[in-house]
Amino acid sequence: MEQGEKLRKLKEIKRKALICFQCGVCVGSCPVAFVNEKYNPRRILRNFLFNQSPPQLNLSNLPWLCLHCYACLERCPQNIGLSEVMFKIQHLQFLNGEIPSSFLNAVKQIIKTGRVSPVTPITERRREQLNLPKIETETGVEELKKIIKETGLKKLLFSQEEEKRSG
Amino acid sequence: MAERETGHKYAFFPGCLVTTRLPYIEAAVRKSMRRLGAELVDMPETTCCPEPTLTKALNQKTWLAIAARNLSIAEEIGLDILTPCNGCYGTFKTVNYIIKTNEKERVKINDTLKKVNREYKGKIQVKHVVEALYKDIGKERIKKEIQKPLKNIKIAVHYGCHLLRPSEIIQLDDPEQPTFLDELVEVLGAKSVDYERKMMCCGGEDLKIHPQTAYSILKEKLSSIKEADPDCIVVTCPLCMIQLDENQALLQRRHRQNFNIPVFYYSELLCLALNINLGDQHFKLHRIKADEVVKKIVKS
Amino acid sequence: METRIGVYICHCGTNIGGVLDCEALAKFASKLPNVVVAKDYKYMCADPGQEMIKKDIKEFKLNRVVVASCSPRMHEPTFRKCVEEAGLNSFFFEMANIREQVSWCHYDSPKQAFDKAKDLIKAAVAKARLLTPLTPLKVPVEKRVLVIGGGVAGIHAALDLADMGFKVYLVEKEPTIGGWMALLDKTFPTLDCSICILGPKMVDVAKHSNIELFTYSEVLDIEGFVGNFKVRILKKPRYVEVDKCNACSECVNVCPVEVPNKFDGNLGWRKAIYIPFPQAVPPAYLIDEDACLGITPLACGKCQEVCREKGGDAINFDMHPEVLEVSVGAIIVATGYELYDPSKIKEYGYGVYQNVITCFELERLINSSGPTYGKVIRPSDGKEPKKVAFIQCVGSRDEKANVYCSGFCCMYTIKNAILLKEKHPETEIYIFYIDIRANFKGYEEFYRRAREEGIIFIRGKPAEISENPLTKNLTIYCEDLGLGKVISLEVDLVILSTAAIPRHGKDELARKLNIVTGSDGFYLEAHPKLKPIDAATDGVFLCGSAQGPKDIPYSVSQASAAAARAARILSKDYWEIEPIVAYIDESKCRNPKTKCGICATKCPYGAITVEPNKPARVEPAKCHGCGTCAADCPGDAITQMHFTDAQILSQIHAILEENPEEKILCFLCNWCSYAGADLAGTSRLTYPPNARAVRVMCSGRVDKDFVLEAFRLGAGMVLVSGCRLTEFGSDCHYITGNVNAKKRMKIVEKILEKAGISKERFRLEWISASEGDKYAKIIKEMAEKMKKLGKEKIIEENRKAEPFLEKILKKKIT
């Protein structure tokens, strides 16, 4: 599925990996790497140098730990923009079906309600206490669903589900 | 775009987290902005900004289109968009930047928007609440309105990542040595104290994937703050608030890490300094007890 | 006078004779117009061959000679000399390259090779018919030299030339010579004392009878050309008369004004009257007019009083700036470098954290004549640091600052670390680096010595430094790539190895000298391999860090090289300039009417001056003969001698006279692409024999009309090729000739599109002298494409395009 897209992404990422001259400023800047030795964004990118097609990543959940805080992007002396590359790596993982279920559930939440966090009775009570306007529920959701379908995300999500069910 | 003659006016986009989980931030923002003569117009039919790791990582096209849809609503009202959330700010700033600088992308995005009968021309600006306070309303105006200066209050400022980075797109302040939020804090009469890990991310984004990592980052951050011995922390983002306040309480409960540093959203402190009554219930919604600091300010 | 041409076909043993029937070629040549005699011989370049030509010139009254043999890059000088010896002008000679570009690369198809050889001989004869005699230009040489910059490079260049007996003017903008080296403590890798080895040289400069030293002076402007430069020098007032000052320092004691001393990296203080450092040359004080209270209006004057009391009377408040004019034959640029301001890299906190200092500041702290008399201390509390970290590549190898490697920082950091360690063995020292560059004599050993002495090297670029607000200690956050994990290291003092950057004001000087800077901002040499010392302008030479960051031994070597290059000119009474320069037909020049001036903007050497209402003017001594101006002149007013429009068009016509639709016409630059085509032959690479090369000095010479005319005549394919041009820069031997060619050929592409010529029939390429395989590959590709299009389609396209092309070419002529 989506093999062409995968190879294209892989090539883009590899190009960045080729430019990297291994100074480690990204890792030194990374709050995740500071507390979690397993996570080393430099090494994640470097792995792509040797990643042949078809892409088999087996990176487990590691790339999804990126906070996208952009500290590495600001400091990289070779302008690699690792934070942005990480989005591409995550995208590739998503295409490979390697997306953590918590992410998948959160995406579904957005599609269903238009919001990343649910409106609960507690929410409503609190807002009332604070004299805040009542929440219009499910506004814009129809349009959002249409966009998700138009841009192809729905299809991608659907095939993920299929794969998960069959695999 | 904002109408300067009749005071400042913005299309208000509180974002998912503020709306549903931390409505007290919304209350403080609305009240303080009103006092300072800024009008917030609610935006109908908006959705999640949307969150990048959940959409951009999955499909960049979707992320661009949903964000542009939200922006188009503000453009239709004819106002710059104002948000109290660093996350929404980052998304909107970036998408707005792409639309304004990349003709090809703009056409593509609008092809999608056409399907929902919308169009975004890229005519408006994206503003964060603290940015509007600093740039539009200004320190002078705030200073004039202050009734209860935050004397003898030491504050640790936490900017949060997406308020500053990527600096090439955000262009609000220096990404390594910013000062504007410290200035805003000092205008209230408080003292901004330096601490070593000031520019470190709060780690909140990792809660949904690996909470242990998020807590470890938080611990590093709070330890560094504790060394500077402030009365409280100030944030500009609901996710930073959840991480620094709610999860600080969690660390306290589960891991006996007694940092005990109250956290405020900037607008809350602003309300206190402007002597705006936020109501009895307001600060009870904070997980780390803020009473002492609030009392210290209100008494003065 | 009747044109009488002799043509000589060389067998080159069997090199040519084994593939081509040379006798038949001679017979063919003998029937060409104006050819009086045509012969073939085993070795034309050997003495009997040359004698034969000389004899024939006399016997047959020849006034043009064509030799068909090897590449002109091989034997053109030989045969030019030969015809000159027989009394002909040396430019009455032309060559046809039937070895490298025929027999060596088409031995697999001798029949087509023979046809190609015929075409090339025909083209050479056609050009020979139009040759004109040229004499080398001679300009007198002023036997003096200007050296700009009095650092270690400038000092050495000046001394070398002065010792050779040339008069040297050494201009230094600071009040003393010595440059950076005079301020260093020790030098790597030998740890000898910097000022101890430089000091005597500085004194030599001051004492040398052939050197006139201008300190505290700047070059105002420069006019002229090689052998004949006029230079105006501005001498700023010191307010202290150098010959009267005996450096007793009494004035300093009474001066009430204190300002930071930049010679100490602003760590120490100096008075308004000061001497930069004790060993300064000239050894005299000066008054800083911005700081002094005495100059205008006179309000203080304490120094003058005490100087008079002591019987000196050296202080003179009435000094004024002076302008002096000198004439020189050559100029050496040794203006050196500056240091990058690390406060721009905010994550390292320089300028915010007191205990983050630069390498130069440390250098002054270690130096016993520095502000602390050699004691290394923390600026925050004056205490000796116990734990020190050096950070490399601050502003170097960084796309956001300077992309290049500053070269010498690795070694001076290691040197300073060793010095620190030797003074205080208990100090913990860490060096954070990306790569260690230790690639000269004794450097790698020095690096090992540092490790042996206990200095810890950590591979990794620190992400950020934070300061403990109470202790002012610094924590460095960095990935240790050896460990593969993030470390945080608390230290007392951080030293940043800041990048070396081009001098402030380098562009202004470049304008005055008519030289160029590279993408890194340093002055650019004429050729990176074979003319590394010469600047683009003849008679101007570069040495030391002005051309790019360099350490001391490298700078000194370059200084001596620059002196030798300058002496090559200065040692002659006259300097000869190749006469293939551009010439402007004033009656055709449009500038008086239309303010055109295009030629001046295209000239890479500033050899063309354009003044309003006057025709443009070429200074032949500055012209290098690339021909770019001739190609871009909209009025066809410019001619490049020996490569005139008429001569090149005659070659095109000759080549395309028969079956043009089957031929690939190639315009190749002399230095790279023609040499690349030769290399294909030398390497015996075969490629389709329908390619025919026309040699020009530079791809910049290829006029739009040449390409259009080729297609009008029905050419199958056209290739234009020059020296390599990539996003990283240009290898062009005329700096930017290929850049201009590229711009021009983009327009050609558009015209051809309009004319209905298929896109693939015209190609622009960059082929270097080492890329014989690339040339062969491109010709193969073009031949294949030509085959694919088919003869009929090409003829059809040409037929349709002809009226359109004719119209364009005609419009140009009228």
Side-chain angles (χ1 to χ4, degrees), chain A residues 15-24 26 42 45-46 78 80:
Chain A
R15 202 176 306 138
K16 298 286 186 182
L18 282 166
I19 291 169
C20 173
F21 67 16
Q22 306 296 318
C23 73
C26 47
R42 176 185 57 77
L45 180 63
R46 186 154 182 86
Q78 296 299 305
I80 283 171

Side-chain angles (χ1 to χ4, degrees), chain A residues 49-113:
Chain A
L49 273 183
F50 310 105
N51 227 318
Q52 299 305 318
S53 56
Q56 286 299 325
L57 297 178
N58 300 324
L59 290 168
S60 74
N61 277 347
L62 280 177
W64 298 91
L65 257 69
C66 173
L67 297 159
H68 297 287
C69 72
Y70 291 99
C72 54
L73 178 137
E74 292 289 342
R75 292 171 185 164
C76 175
Q78 296 299 305
N79 279 347
I80 283 171
L82 194 50
S83 269
E84 288 295 338
V85 181
M86 241 3 136
F87 274 122
K88 290 191 176 139
I89 294 175
Q90 290 170 345
H91 178 68
L92 201 56
Q93 280 201 292
F94 169 60
L95 295 179
N96 264 358
E98 295 170 25
I99 177 171
S101 54
S102 56
F103 278 70
L104 220 45
N105 292 337
V107 178
K108 281 186 216 150
Q109 168 81 27
I110 295 181
I111 297 172
K112 212 170 114 194
T113 65

Side-chain angles (χ1 to χ4, degrees), chain B residues 4-74:
Chain B
R4 313 258 168 225
E5 308 90 75
T6 55
H8 301 285
K9 204 169 167 184
Y10 306 94
F12 186 50
F13 186 94
C16 305
L17 288 183
V18 166
T19 308
T20 63
R21 288 189 58 182
L22 308 175
Y24 59 84
I25 292 181
E26 187 177 332
V29 169
R30 285 180 187 274
K31 284 178 182 168
S32 54
M33 290 306 263
R34 192 179 309 139
R35 171 70 64 85
L36 293 167
E39 189 184 335
L40 306 188
V41 178
D42 288 324
M43 293 168 62
E45 302 274 321
T46 52
T47 65
C48 177
C49 62
E51 218 275 357
T53 41
L54 300 175
T55 44
K56 185 177 176 180
L58 274 50
N59 194 347
Q60 164 122 352
K61 219 174 152 189
T62 312
W63 175 66
L64 289 167
I66 298 176
R69 181 189 167 274
N70 285 325
L71 289 168
S72 78
I73 295 169

